[in-house]
Amino acid sequence: MDKNVGVIGLGAMGAGMAASLRRAGLRVHVFDVRQPAVADFARDGGVGCASPAEMAAHCDVIVSVVVDARQTESVLFGENGCAAAMKAGSVFVMCSTVDPKWSAGIEERLLAKGVHYLDAPISGGAARAAKGEITMMTAGRPQAYAAAGGVLDAMAAKVYRLGDRAGAGSKVKVINQLLAGVHIAAAAEAMALGLREGVDAAALYEVITHSAGNSWMFENRMPHVLAADYTPLSAVDIFVKDLGLVLDLARSSKFPLPLSSTAHQMFMQASSAGFGREDDSAVIKIFPGIELPGKAQ
Amino acid sequence: MDKNVGVIGLGAMGAGMAASLRRAGLRVHVFDVRQPAVADFARDGGVGCASPAEMAAHCDVIVSVVVDARQTESVLFGENGCAAAMKAGSVFVMCSTVDPKWSAGIEERLLAKGVHYLDAPISGGAARAAKGEITMMTAGRPQAYAAAGGVLDAMAAKVYRLGDRAGAGSKVKVINQLLAGVHIAAAAEAMALGLREGVDAAALYEVITHSAGNSWMFENRMPHVLAADYTPLSAVDIFVKDLGLVLDLARSSKFPLPLSSTAHQMFMQASSAGFGREDDSAVIKIFPGIELPGKAQ
C-alpha cells in the first residue's frame, strides 16, 4: 500500500498502532503534543508533523488515538486542528472512548465539509497494539470504510462493523468498559476478601483463573496486585471517566445500572484517596483492614 | 482401583461425578432422596442405597454433593444419616458451597468419631462433571487425603490443596462465588443496556467475548438470554444463597463488599419477582423498559 496515513496521539496504544502501520509498508505521519515522542518515531522512519493541520495536507487517512472527546475536539477544531485542512474524500478515524451521541455529531460536522468519519473505538491493550492485533468496534458510512482502505486491517486482528452511522461502535465500546470496570473492581473486592480471610493470594489467583469466577480483567490485573506493581498501564482515573460515560449514556434514557454505579463510586473513592494516576488495579487500596502483598525484595 | 465409593446427591454435578467414578473402575454406591434417580444409576451398573447409613456400611469414601449445609447436616446426622454408621478411618468428602467455619466444625465432629473429613467444594458445571474434569478446592488433614486415595483424581481435572484444616477450600469457593455472582449480574446489566440502546444483541455478544470485557460467566450465560432459554442449569436462588454466604463471611469480620451486596440485591429482586427457579441469567428480567430476545420460532 503506497499511502500516507496520519496517527495523532503516541500513547501506549497509538505508538503501537503507528508502528504496525509502518510495518505494513505505509508512509506514517505522526503528531503528539509531546514533541520528543514525535521525534523518536520520525528517527525510526516515520514523518513528524508540527500540527494536525500540517498532517492533513499530506494524509488521506488520519487515525486519532487521543484520551477523550475533549482532546479529539481540540485535534479537529482547535488551533491548527486538522478538520479545516483535510481534503474532500479523506477520512478521520476516531479511536477514543466517547459518548456515542457526541461521535454521531462529529460525523455530521465533518460530512458537511466533505470529510468522511469512522466511529472506531479500540480494545486490546498496548501489547496487542504493537503487534497490529487490536480489536476495533467500528461504525460509519460505506464511503468512509472505502476511504480508509486497508488501514484498519493493518492495525487490527478484528474489525467489527456494527452499523452504517457513527455511534454504534462507541455504544459497544462503552458497554465493554462497563464490564471491564465492574470486573476490575470485582477482582479487587474478591482479592481483598481473600486477604482479609488469610487465604494465600497466589493460590487464590491460581484457582480463580481455572474456575468459573474468572474474567479477562481478573487474570490480567491481579498479577499487578500480587507483585505490588501499580505502574499505570491504564489508570484509575481512566475508569472514573469511562464508567462516567457508561452512566451518562444510561441516564440519558433514565436506565438503572446498579453495579456500574457502585463500581464508579469505588474508582472515585480510589481517586479521591490519591491513587487516580496509579494502575486501575489500585482500586483495591480502598479496602481498609487488609495488608496488601509487598514488593519483592 | 477395587474400592467401594459412595455418592450422595445425584443432581447435575453429583450424577456426572458418580458416572466418572464408575468409569474409573470403582464400585459406586449412590443415594438420593429422589429414588428414581437412584434406580436409574443402579440399572446402569451402580449400587443403589436406601439411606446414607446403609451406604456407610459398604463404603470407605463417601462423596456428598448436596445443595447446602442444611442438607449436608441431614445426610450426616439426620434420620438414617451416615455419620454414626461410618467406619473408623473412612472419609467424608464434602463438596457443597458452605460457610467455611461450619465446614471446620463438621471436621471436628467427625474426627471425634474417628472419621476423616475433606472440605472439598467443586466448580466446573455439569458438562465437566460428566467428563471427570471438575475443579476441586480442597483442604483437610493429610490422613484424610490418604483415606480418599485416588477418588478425587477420578472426578477432577484439578485438585487444589489449600490447607491442612477444613475451611480453606470453602473460603476459596465462596470467593469464587463472589466473582461468579457479580459477573452474571454484570453480564445481565451490560446486555440490558445494549438492548436499551438498540445494539444488536448477537453482535454485542460476539464483540465482548473477543474483548477485555469478557468473563467466563458472560460467555457461558448470555447465550441463554440470546436464545430466551431460562431452563435452570443453575438457578437464581442458588446465587441468592451463595452471595448470602459471601456477605455472611465478610460480615463476620465487619468487612465491606460493595459489589457483592449490590449483586445480591439484584438476585433477590429477581427471586421476589418470581424468577427464583429460572436459570441465573434470568436476573436480566429485573431491568424494566427493554424487550428481551424471544424464543426462536
Side-chain angles (χ1 to χ4, degrees):
Chain A
M1 287 189 286
D2 182 27
K3 204 164 190 164
N4 288 283
V5 179
V7 176
I8 298 178
L10 295 172
M13 297 298 288
M17 292 158 69
S20 298
L21 290 170
R22 200 172 52 201
R23 223 173 29 247
L26 294 151
R27 198 154 39 246
V28 181
H29 303 244
V30 295
F31 172 75
D32 194 293
V33 288
R34 297 163 302 141
Q35 279 295 320
V38 173
D40 284 352
F41 191 82
R43 199 175 306 115
D44 291 345
V47 183
C49 300
S51 72
E54 183 187 316
M55 178 183 284
H58 301 288
C59 299
D60 300 318
V61 182
I62 292 182
V63 181
S64 172
V65 202
V66 296
V67 168
D68 56 15
R70 195 185 55 75
Q71 288 191 6
T72 311
E73 291 241 18
S74 165
V75 155
L76 278 167
F77 305 110
E79 199 180 347
N80 295 314
C82 59
M86 286 180 82
K87 290 170 273 187
S90 63
V91 59
F92 185 84
V93 181
M94 195 294 301
C95 297
S96 306
T97 301
V98 301
D99 175 343
K101 284 188 202 70
W102 174 89
S103 188
I106 297 293
E107 179 181 54
E108 295 304 320
R109 287 173 74 178
L110 291 180
L111 271 181
K113 298 174 186 284
V115 171
H116 298 299
Y117 177 78
L118 283 177
D119 177 45
I122 55 181
S123 176
R128 284 171 58 191
K131 288 192 280 187
E133 294 179 0
I134 56 171
T135 295
M136 303 190 84
M137 307 169 193
T138 72
R141 287 168 167 75
Q143 303 91 316
Y145 285 100
V151 167
L152 305 186
D153 288 327
M155 303 184 287
K158 288 249 184 198
V159 178
Y160 289 106
R161 290 178 68 152
L162 298 160
D164 58 6
R165 291 290 182 280
S170 287
K171 279 182 181 175
V172 170
K173 176 62 196 268
V174 165
I175 293 168
N176 182 70
Q177 293 311 90
L178 181 167
L179 289 162
V182 171
H183 293 169
I184 292 169
E189 183 167 308
M191 189 61 77
L193 178 59
L195 292 166
R196 179 71 165 184
E197 288 293 325
V199 174
D200 179 79
L204 181 62
Y205 180 81
E206 167 70 12
V207 177
I208 294 296
T209 52
H210 290 85
S211 302
N214 197 25
S215 70
W216 195 98
M217 281 296 178
F218 185 96
E219 189 162 343
N220 185 267
R221 296 300 206 271
M222 288 305 100
H224 306 171
V225 172
L226 297 180
D229 183 356
Y230 297 97
T231 309
L233 301 179
S234 176
V236 163
D237 278 346
I238 296 285
F239 274 101
V240 171
K241 169 180 89 76
D242 284 3
L243 284 169
L245 284 172
V246 170
L247 293 167
D248 287 347
L249 176 62
R251 185 189 290 186
S252 70
S253 77
K254 303 194 177 74
F255 196 68
L257 299 178
L259 288 169
S260 306
S261 59
T262 302
H264 194 221
Q265 292 292 325
M266 293 167 74
F267 283 106
M268 289 197 293
Q269 191 178 343
S271 188
S272 285
F275 309 123
R277 292 173 171 230
E278 295 191 16
D279 187 71
D280 49 31
S281 59
V283 70
I284 198 172
K285 296 184 181 181
I286 69 171
F287 289 94
I290 57 173
E291 187 170 351
L292 291 170
K295 270 202 193 297
Q297 295 305 310
Chain B
M1 285 188 287
D2 184 27
K3 205 164 188 163
N4 287 283
V5 179
V7 175
I8 298 178
L10 294 174
M13 296 298 288
M17 291 157 70
S20 297
L21 289 169
R22 199 172 52 199
R23 223 172 28 247
L26 294 151
R27 197 155 38 247
V28 182
H29 303 245
V30 296
F31 172 75
D32 193 292
V33 289
R34 296 162 304 141
Q35 279 295 321
V38 172
D40 284 352
F41 190 83
R43 199 174 308 116
D44 291 345
V47 184
C49 301
S51 72
E54 182 186 317
M55 178 184 285
H58 301 288
C59 300
D60 300 318
V61 183
I62 292 182
V63 182
S64 173
V65 202
V66 296
V67 169
D68 55 15
R70 195 185 55 75
Q71 288 191 8
T72 310
E73 291 242 18
S74 164
V75 155
L76 278 168
F77 305 110
E79 198 179 347
N80 294 314
C82 58
M86 286 180 81
K87 290 169 272 187
S90 63
V91 58
F92 186 84
V93 182
M94 194 293 303
C95 298
S96 306
T97 301
V98 301
D99 175 344
K101 284 189 201 70
W102 175 89
S103 188
I106 297 293
E107 179 181 54
E108 294 305 319
R109 287 174 73 178
L110 291 181
L111 271 181
K113 298 173 186 285
V115 172
H116 298 298
Y117 176 79
L118 282 177
D119 177 45
I122 55 181
S123 176
R128 284 172 59 191
K131 289 191 280 186
E133 295 180 359
I134 56 171
T135 296
M136 303 191 83
M137 307 168 194
T138 72
R141 287 169 167 74
Q143 301 92 316
Y145 285 101
V151 168
L152 305 187
D153 288 328
M155 303 184 287
K158 288 250 183 196
V159 178
Y160 289 106
R161 289 178 68 152
L162 297 160
D164 58 7
R165 290 291 180 278
S170 287
K171 279 183 182 175
V172 170
K173 176 62 196 268
V174 166
I175 294 169
N176 182 69
Q177 294 310 91
L178 181 166
L179 289 162
V182 170
H183 292 169
I184 292 169
E189 183 167 309
M191 189 61 76
L193 178 59
L195 293 166
R196 180 70 165 184
E197 289 293 324
V199 173
D200 179 79
L204 181 62
Y205 180 80
E206 166 71 12
V207 177
I208 294 297
T209 53
H210 291 83
S211 301
N214 197 26
S215 69
W216 195 98
M217 281 295 178
F218 185 95
E219 190 161 341
N220 186 267
R221 296 302 205 270
M222 288 305 100
H224 307 171
V225 173
L226 296 180
D229 184 355
Y230 297 98
T231 309
L233 300 179
S234 175
V236 163
D237 279 345
I238 296 286
F239 273 102
V240 171
K241 169 179 90 74
D242 284 3
L243 284 170
L245 284 173
V246 170
L247 293 167
D248 287 347
L249 177 63
R251 186 190 289 186
S252 69
S253 78
K254 303 193 178 74
F255 196 68
L257 299 178
L259 288 169
S260 306
S261 60
T262 303
H264 193 222
Q265 291 293 324
M266 293 166 73
F267 283 106
M268 289 198 293
Q269 191 177 343
S271 188
S272 285
F275 310 123
R277 293 176 170 226
E278 294 192 16
D279 186 71
D280 49 31
S281 59
V283 70
I284 197 171
K285 296 184 180 181
I286 70 171
F287 289 94
I290 57 173
E291 187 171 349
L292 291 170
K295 270 203 191 298
Q297 295 306 309

